Amino acid sequence: MTASHAAALTARAQDVSAEIIADILTLVRHETGSYDLPALAAGLDVLREVAVTRLGAPDGEHRYPGGACGDTLTLTYAGTGAGHVALVGHYDTVWPTGTLAGWEQPEATDEDGRARLSGPGIFDMKTGLAQGIWALKLARESGAPVPTVTFLFNGDEEIGSLSSRPVIEETAKKVDATLVLEPTAHGAVKTARKGSGIFKVTATGVEAHAGLAPQDGASATLALSEFIVAAAAVAAPPRGTTINPGLISGGSAINVVAGSASAGIDIRVSSESEQHRVDAEFAAIQVSDPRVRIEVDHAWNRPPMTLNAASAPLLDLAREVAHDQGRAPLPDTAVGGASDANFISALGLPVLCGMGAIGDGAHARGEYIHPDTVPAQTALVAGLLCRLTEPLPG
């Protein structure tokens, strides 16, 4: 990519920034909470419409039914050069339908006066979806050869990619490189992510009248509370292991000794050895009442992600593109959150994550992007696509 071509991409992205932001806001206005199947279906239709409006009809398309999860959609656009790249992003969000109506300050400014745009899912990760679509549009319009590009949009990432994981892995195996359009870490790409577990703990006790015969009961909620306290102590933040009991339920009535209770526990680890330690220590936890049965579903969802040998040249290439476009040196970082890039990295395939939005506040009310960064981020992905018509080193 010549200096003039890099400059032209950046300038063109700036020229169309208002249109890119309009598409971002279109996606945000269509709420897509992970558990609302009708909203997910409608939101995916809107996302497909944005892609087709900007890029034309795809050369290949497949919609994979998600069952209890949102569907996964792949759209393939034939290239004018060699190579095949996947652009991956999820359209589901953590926000339930109706959140948008009560969202405060959709437009605001930082203390230094820098503009913000805020909305449910705008940072994680609807901005990345729109930027990815526009990146291919700008790359094609630049006149440079571009690779074949397959977009993969999944609707269940926030709940573990339970349905979409096989599609993600098979797609990644068929391409030369994958760019995951998750938000950046304050401008840095993400080359290492923690692995994640979604454990379910079930306690089964003995019901009894809480006033007449409490001694006959064995409280599932009390035993579960003991288990949760012991489980939380397994965390080891200096080793990268955190444990969060995020969902707890149990009992049938306030005057009944609880016969059942359950908890959902989010676990993050930075190494396989920590996975094994957590498994062993959870299995060793005992509660004080032997009449209560504790069952633990050790559901490891995503393996830890590291900068594997296949991904290092992709990072180098992204840094070259950033340099050619006159950007500051492109940093990379490790983060605690997991993403679909974890699956791809674990296969030993080339992948970069965090190619999307610059902003902050993922999963928090008030999540936001800096709209002035949208053109440069879009141009970065566009420039990288133009360079991926040649094989990566190694």
Side-chain angles (χ1 to χ4, degrees), residues 20-362:
I20 304 173
I21 291 169
D23 284 346
I24 293 168
L25 295 178
T26 293
L27 297 179
V28 172
R29 281 193 294 268
H30 288 78
E31 295 179 278
T32 49
S34 299
Y35 297 101
D36 189 334
L37 292 181
L40 286 166
L44 183 54
D45 289 341
V46 170
L47 177 56
R48 181 190 180 278
E49 182 180 349
V50 170
V52 171
T53 297
R54 300 306 182 185
L55 300 170
D59 298 291
E61 177 175 358
H62 194 89
R63 189 161 178 156
Y64 300 85
C69 305
D71 292 349
T72 298
L73 177 67
T74 58
L75 303 175
T76 297
Y77 289 88
T80 55
H84 192 172
V85 177
L87 296 181
V88 173
H90 65 88
Y91 62 93
D92 66 317
T93 77
V94 298
W95 302 106
T97 301
T99 300
L100 182 63
W103 198 267
E104 297 181 0
Q105 292 187 309
E107 297 185 36
T109 56
D110 291 342
E111 292 181 359
D112 61 2
R114 190 180 189 188
R116 293 182 177 185
L117 288 178
S118 182
I122 194 169
F123 180 63
D124 186 13
M125 60 166 287
K126 293 188 174 184
T127 292
L129 299 177
Q131 288 178 172
I133 291 167
W134 273 91
L136 178 57
K137 178 177 174 64
L138 296 182
R140 294 165 89 186
E141 291 176 352
S142 73
V146 295
T148 295
V149 171
T150 294
F151 290 94
L152 188 152
F153 303 128
N154 60 318
D156 60 350
E157 192 272 349
E158 295 291 5
I159 54 174
S161 300
L162 305 177
S163 170
S164 61
R165 178 177 180 173
V167 184
I168 293 166
E169 292 177 334
E170 286 305 307
T171 299
K173 290 174 184 177
K174 296 175 182 176
V175 301
D176 302 306
T178 300
L179 305 178
V180 179
L181 301 167
E182 289 274 3
T184 69
H186 303 287
V189 296
K190 300 169 181 177
T191 52
R193 286 181 171 274
K194 289 185 179 180
S196 62
I198 305 173
F199 284 23
K200 182 177 181 181
V201 183
T202 303
T204 304
V206 180
E207 290 183 326
H209 194 292
L212 295 178
Q215 70 281 355
D216 293 340
S219 174
T221 55
L222 181 58
L224 181 64
S225 299
E226 293 178 13
F227 185 97
I228 288 172
V229 171
V234 176
R239 300 185 218 173
T241 299
T242 58
I243 295 175
N244 178 59
L247 293 172
I248 301 173
S249 63
S252 58
I254 195 170
N255 60 346
V256 176
V257 176
S260 63
S262 64
I265 302 180
D266 178 284
I267 303 171
R268 306 294 170 126
V269 296
S270 56
S271 68
E272 187 176 350
S273 63
E274 278 296 282
Q275 285 186 351
H276 297 322
R277 184 185 70 83
V278 168
D279 281 334
E281 295 200 23
F282 267 51
I285 295 174
Q286 300 289 324
V287 296
S288 59
D289 192 331
R291 295 175 295 169
V292 179
R293 184 175 75 254
I294 300 288
E295 297 173 284
V296 183
D297 178 10
H298 295 243
W300 289 106
N301 178 243
R302 289 184 173 91
M305 172 186 170
T306 59
L307 182 62
N308 61 31
S311 300
L314 188 56
L315 175 61
D316 291 340
L317 188 61
R319 286 175 166 156
E320 289 180 20
V321 172
H323 177 269
D324 291 344
Q325 293 180 348
R327 294 173 57 131
L330 182 65
D332 71 299
T333 192
V335 295
S339 83
D340 291 328
N342 291 56
F343 300 134
I344 300 168
S345 175
L347 296 173
L349 299 171
V351 59
L352 278 187
C353 191
M355 301 299 297
I358 294 179
D360 207 351

